Amino acid sequence: MSDDEARPADTRRLPTLDKTEDATDKAEDATGTADGAARSGPPGTATDTGDDGRGGRFWSARRVSAAVVALLLLAAAGLLLYDVAAVRAHHSSMAWRRRLAHELATRPLDSTWVLGAAALAVVLGIWLFVLAVTPGLRQVLPMRRSVPDVRAGLDRAAAALVLRDRAMEVAGVQSVRMKVGRRKAKARALSHFRELDEVRADLDASLGEGLRQLGLSRRLGLTVRVRRPKKG
C-alpha cells in the first residue's frame, strides 16, 4: 500500500502562496487602507456641513419659576375643588368664596381694587410670556460650533478671569478689573509705569487676541481704560 492510499480521505494538502503574490496582496491592502483613511479623514475631524459655526443662546429650564407657578395653580385648584365638593355634600361653602362672589357681583369695574387686580394679572401674564419666549441663561456665552450636533458654552465669569490673567501679563499693568457682558468686554487697568497710551495699545492687542482664542460664536466688543493709581 502506498503512502497516498494510506492518507485519510479528509486530509488534504494545504495550498501554498508564492512570496511575490503575498507581498503584492499586502501592498494592495495597505494602499486600500490609506485611500479609505484619506476619504474618511482623521477621527474627530468636523466635516463640511455648511454650518458657519454660529450657535444660538442656551435655553434655561426655569425650574424655579415653573415650580412656583405649578404650586400656586395646584393650591388654588385644590382649594376650589374642596369647596365645590363640600357644597355638593350639602355643606356650606367657604367664607372666602361667598365674599368673592359678592364682591364680583356688586363692586363696579372702575373700582381701585378691580383695576389693581387687573393690572397685577396683566403684569403676571407679560412676565410668563417673556419667560416663555426668551432663552435665558445670560451668564453662558455660546461658543463656535466646530463639530456638528455638539454645543459648548463659556461662563462669563470664567471668560473674564481668563482675560484678566492675560491682561496682567502686559508690562506696566498693576491691576485689572475685567467685566464680560453678552456683547462687550470692558477692562479697567491701573498702570504704575510706562506711558498710558503704550499700555492701552498693548492691552488692546493682548485682549483682542484673547477674545479670538475664546472661540465664541459672536465676537465681543472691547473697551479698555487705563489710568494711574491714586496717590497716598
Side-chain angles (χ1 to χ4, degrees), residues 64-138:
V64 176
S65 56
V68 170
V69 174
L71 289 176
L72 290 178
L73 292 178
L74 180 63
L79 188 61
L80 182 61
L81 181 62
Y82 175 80
D83 189 51
V84 171
V87 173
R88 291 291 184 179
H90 305 289
H91 294 283
S92 60
S93 61
M94 293 184 178
W96 66 269
R97 198 163 75 119
R98 293 196 302 268
R99 177 67 181 272
L100 179 62
H102 177 73
E103 291 293 335
L104 292 176
T106 58
R107 189 174 292 274
L109 296 179
D110 58 351
S111 174
T112 304
W113 288 99
V114 174
L115 295 178
L120 180 60
V122 170
V123 171
L124 290 177
I126 294 176
W127 176 62
L128 293 176
F129 179 78
V130 170
L131 290 180
V133 299
T134 55
L137 287 183
R138 301 172 63 90

Side-chain angles (χ1 to χ4, degrees), residues 25-41:
D25 294 340
K26 290 182 178 180
E28 291 177 355
D29 294 339
T31 304
T33 304
D35 293 340
R39 287 192 298 268
S40 61

